[in-house]
Amino acid sequence: MSELTPGGNLPLPNGTLTIRVPGPFDVSALITDDTGKVHGDADFVFYNQPTAPGARLTGGTLTVDPPRLRPGASRLTVVISPADPGTPLGHLPAPTLLVTGAAGRTIARFTPPRPQRETVLLLAELYRKGPAWKLRALGQGYADGLAGVARDFGVDVLDDVIANAPAHAPASGSRPASAPPQGRGAATYAAPPRGRDQPPPARTAISSSTRSPDSDRYLGLVNSTRALAGSPPVSLNPHLTAAAQAHATAMAAQGRLAPEGRDGLSVYQRVTAGGYAYLTIGEHLVSGPRTPAEFVDYCLSDQQARQTLCAPTCSETGLGHATDPRSGTVFWTALWARPFSPSGLDRTAADVITLTNAERAGAGLPPLSPDPLLTNAAQAHSADMVARAFYAHTSPDGSEPWHRAAAAGSTRRSIGENIACGQRSAAEVVRGWMNSPGHRANILKPGFTHIGIGFAGGGAAGTYWTQLFGG
């Protein structure tokens, strides 16, 4: 494996390449010719347009077959941005590019200097040199967002479509604290513009309701789709409906899709502010469709959105929509959730421990035993991150993991902590931790013997997880 530095390059093997950037990042790609410009919008591969000839984005993994890129393409630039668009890259862990060949062997790794105020990073480029392809490490930062980068490459974009990345986990702090990109159970989507021959929806004032014929039609369409997928039906929940309506109204008021309204509230904070506690949460934020049927059809047209709609773990839903009176655009919010219960929290924590111990068993290590004192400290930290709106190992009052463990009564001599936010399941969060070297080291540390798990829903990211280890 080659460890690259900025400006470094190496030849690439033949065959399909797999490109990943573990952590709380969204990956995109721009396909250009020798001029450095795209031929059209189809040359921009991102979460809302995940495929192009020779390139496919699945979750946070980009697969590229360079010879199969469109005719005339001579370069593919890999771009990353924060999964939470309001978070500067300097507040996140340093990104690391991993490039894997067709045989499954990692052939290159690149960690650029830590960004500061930049919001987008051109991480690397694949470029053609004669008949062969090479990889060059870049590390060039942008401060004006993904839309600005796309425009510089010649993409004609709508801010509503790409400026608002999926509403997911921010991360901060110098010690391991990550959230896996994409592949999450919820996403933000922008519907494609209607054709010129399609009339706009009626320009009505923004209004709200908690139950309507639209909601009933929506529920019927959703449950028939879920039945075909083998998932149990969901029921309308008035708290979720009210939160969905409030968020749709907020988006219509500002005329764009956004994970937060002008009041600074995220869609998840609207849910918890309405008195709804959850163990699982997912959302669709969409603009463009005019009826519940069009909205559901749009969600079913995208694999990730379909997975959220058909998620078997969700049992309740809520729908809201509002029309921007200035443009006539209809904004939609659908929420999917499994309500909180103490037994459900226990099962979630047990699932995290089971998956963690499976990773240790695969490494030849003994299992970790649940520790009620570490559990209390971990749960308190997750709840505190939601309540005080921070995401870090160091609490606003300066306490560190070992302080919190001791305050809970633990006398373990060695303490370690992993945190994450935005993941929708135990499997997703453990997979994310294992894809991050620092978190993986904690999970596979031989000296740890006990573990406690914390989980809380709410805040800007939606879910907050804590693993507290003791030895």
Side-chain angles (χ1 to χ4, degrees), residues 61-261:
T61 300
L62 178 68
T63 54
V64 182
D65 190 349
R68 294 184 179 273
L69 295 174
R70 60 142 175 94
S74 59
R75 187 182 306 168
L76 181 145
T77 303
V78 180
V79 182
I80 64 164
S81 54
D84 178 353
T87 303
L89 286 169
H91 292 180
L92 303 181
T96 296
L97 175 84
L98 300 172
V99 182
T100 304
R105 182 177 64 88
T106 300
I107 58 178
R109 174 188 172 102
F110 171 54
T111 302
R114 189 184 187 92
Q116 298 301 317
R117 300 178 61 85
E118 295 90 342
T119 56
V120 174
L121 196 65
L122 307 187
L123 199 53
E125 63 179 12
L126 282 62
Y127 65 99
R128 189 171 58 203
K129 187 74 171 178
W133 284 80
K134 302 182 76 173
L135 173 72
R136 178 184 291 118
L138 298 176
Q140 177 185 350
Y142 272 67
D144 54 353
L146 193 57
V149 174
R151 290 192 183 96
D152 281 357
F153 277 74
V155 179
D156 183 14
V157 298
L158 297 175
D159 285 346
D160 283 352
V161 176
I162 70 167
N164 301 292
H168 299 298
S172 61
S174 57
R175 288 179 293 280
S178 74
Q182 299 296 337
R184 313 167 179 117
T188 301
Y189 299 94
R194 293 183 297 275
R196 293 179 183 272
D197 59 336
Q198 293 178 286
R203 299 194 176 195
T204 57
I206 299 169
S207 62
S208 64
S209 63
T210 57
R211 184 75 184 235
S212 68
D214 278 352
S215 296
D216 292 332
R217 286 192 292 271
Y218 158 80
L219 189 64
L221 292 166
V222 163
N223 280 333
S224 62
T225 301
R226 288 175 64 88
L228 292 173
S231 297
V234 291
S235 60
L236 281 170
N237 179 277
H239 297 289
L240 291 176
T241 298
Q245 184 60 51
H247 197 72
T249 300
M251 291 192 298
Q254 56 190 338
R256 64 183 180 89
L257 291 171
E260 294 183 351

Side-chain angles (χ1 to χ4, degrees), residues 154-376:
V155 179
D156 183 14
V157 298
L158 297 175
D159 285 346
D160 283 352
V161 176
I162 70 167
N164 301 292
H168 299 298
S172 61
S174 57
R175 288 179 293 280
S178 74
Q182 299 296 337
R184 313 167 179 117
T188 301
Y189 299 94
R194 293 183 297 275
R196 293 179 183 272
D197 59 336
Q198 293 178 286
R203 299 194 176 195
T204 57
I206 299 169
S207 62
S208 64
S209 63
T210 57
R211 184 75 184 235
S212 68
D214 278 352
S215 296
D216 292 332
R217 286 192 292 271
Y218 158 80
L219 189 64
L221 292 166
V222 163
N223 280 333
S224 62
T225 301
R226 288 175 64 88
L228 292 173
S231 297
V234 291
S235 60
L236 281 170
N237 179 277
H239 297 289
L240 291 176
T241 298
Q245 184 60 51
H247 197 72
T249 300
M251 291 192 298
Q254 56 190 338
R256 64 183 180 89
L257 291 171
E260 294 183 351
R262 287 174 178 162
D263 55 7
L265 292 179
S266 72
V267 64
Y268 315 112
Q269 289 168 319
R270 297 186 199 283
V271 172
T272 55
Y276 189 96
Y278 55 82
L279 288 169
T280 298
I281 190 76
E283 78 283 342
H284 291 126
L285 310 181
V286 176
S287 66
R290 294 161 294 178
T291 67
E294 287 184 8
F295 170 76
V296 173
D297 283 345
Y298 177 74
C299 292
L300 295 178
S301 70
D302 180 274
Q303 182 180 1
Q304 187 176 339
R306 178 187 286 268
Q307 289 175 349
T308 301
L309 189 151
C310 295
T313 54
C314 293
S315 60
E316 296 180 332
T317 187
L319 179 72
H321 63 91
T323 302
D324 179 354
R326 297 155 297 191
S327 66
T329 301
V330 184
F331 290 83
W332 299 78
T333 299
L335 293 168
W336 314 84
R338 176 160 58 105
F340 175 88
S341 67
S343 61
L345 179 61
D346 290 343
R347 285 194 301 272
T348 298
D351 288 345
V352 174
I353 294 174
T354 297
L355 292 166
T356 298
N357 281 334
E359 298 291 349
R360 288 177 64 88
L365 296 170
L368 302 171
S369 299
D371 184 307
L373 298 179
L374 294 179
T375 297
N376 290 342

